Amino acid sequence: MTNKDIMRIATEQSALEANCSPEDFFRSENIVTISTGNKGARRNLALPAYCNLISYGSNIVASVNPAVKETVEKYLEQFEPGHCFGTPNIYLLNDAFRRDGMCICFMAEFFLPDVERLKERECGFRMEMLRPEDLTQFYVPEWSNALTSGCRELDVLAVGAYDGARLVGLAGCSADCDTMWQIGIDVLPEYRRQGIASALTSRLALEILAAGRVPYYCVAWANVKSVRNAVQSGFIPAWVELNAKTISFSNALTGRKVPENTKKTCPT
C-alpha cells in the first residue's frame, strides 16, 4: 500500500461521513453539505452531525444540520481555513450554536502512516501480538487509551511490551470502519521515555497494513507527547476535525452541572 493509496482511502472515508466527494477536500473554496447518516461511517461517529468541520489543509468541508448551514457558511467566509479551528474565532461559532443548546466539543488532529518512514523499532522489551481473546484482563484504567472498553467488540488487534511477565506497554487498534483501524497507546509511567510507545505503535501499524487496512492515529491538539509519538512512529499529519455536541453532553464530560432552566431539547 502506497502513501497515495492511504490518502485515497482516508479521504474516501471522510467523504462518506461528510456527504461529499473525496475531491472536495482539495478544492480552493470551502464546502458546506447537509449531514446524513451512513452505515459505512466510523462506528464512534454519531451521524447525522449538527456540525462537523474537516480539513486536509486546502479548505474546510463542513457537514451540518440544515438549521445552521447559513451560519456556518458565513463563519467560513470570515477566516482562513487554519484559523477557523482556533480561538478566539471559534467562539463566534460556539456562541451561535448555543441557541440550539449545542457547543463546540471535540477538536482533534489525525495522523496517517508514511510508508517510507514506517519501520519496526526496538525498545529493549519483549513484544507480543495479542488477539481479542487475549485482551479480556486488560480492560482496566491503565490501558484505557489502548483499548475501547465501551465497545470491546471493536478491538481486533494489539501488541504488548513485557518486562518479564509484566505488561508495561500496550498498543491496540479498534476497527472503527471497514477500511481504517485506529491505534491507541498506553505505557506505564515508570516505563516511559524508553521508546516503548513508538516501538509498539509502529509494530501495530505494520500489522494493520499487512491486514489490508489503513492505520490512523488521533490526538488532541494540545497533547504534545502523543503527537511526538505519532511522528517518531512514522506517522504524518493528515487532517483535522472539529465537531459540536449538545451542551448537556459536554457538561457531562466535564462534570459541570447546569441549572434546569438553561437546559434545552437539542438535536444530537
Side-chain angles (χ1 to χ4, degrees), residues 128-132 135 138-139 142-148 152 154-161 167 169-176 181-187 196-197 200-205 207-208 215-218 229 235:
E128 180 179 334
M129 296 305 305
L130 303 170
R131 305 292 172 178
L135 300 176
F138 301 129
Y139 286 95
E142 290 86 345
W143 314 117
S144 60
N145 292 310
L147 301 178
T148 314
R152 296 187 183 188
L154 298 184
D155 292 332
V156 292
L157 192 63
V159 55
L167 181 68
L170 182 66
C173 66
S174 56
D176 289 350
W181 292 357
Q182 181 178 185
I183 294 177
I185 177 76
D186 285 298
V187 177
I196 294 174
L200 293 175
T201 301
S202 57
R203 174 70 181 279
L204 186 56
E207 292 288 339
I208 294 170
Y216 75 102
Y217 189 104
C218 173
N229 179 56
F235 283 70

Side-chain angles (χ1 to χ4, degrees), residues 7 15 37 41 61 68 103-104 124 130 132 134 152 160 197 200 202 205 240 242:
M7 181 59 74
V61 173
V68 290
C103 66
I104 302 300
L130 303 170
D134 304 317
R152 296 187 183 188
L200 293 175
S202 57
V240 293
L242 175 152

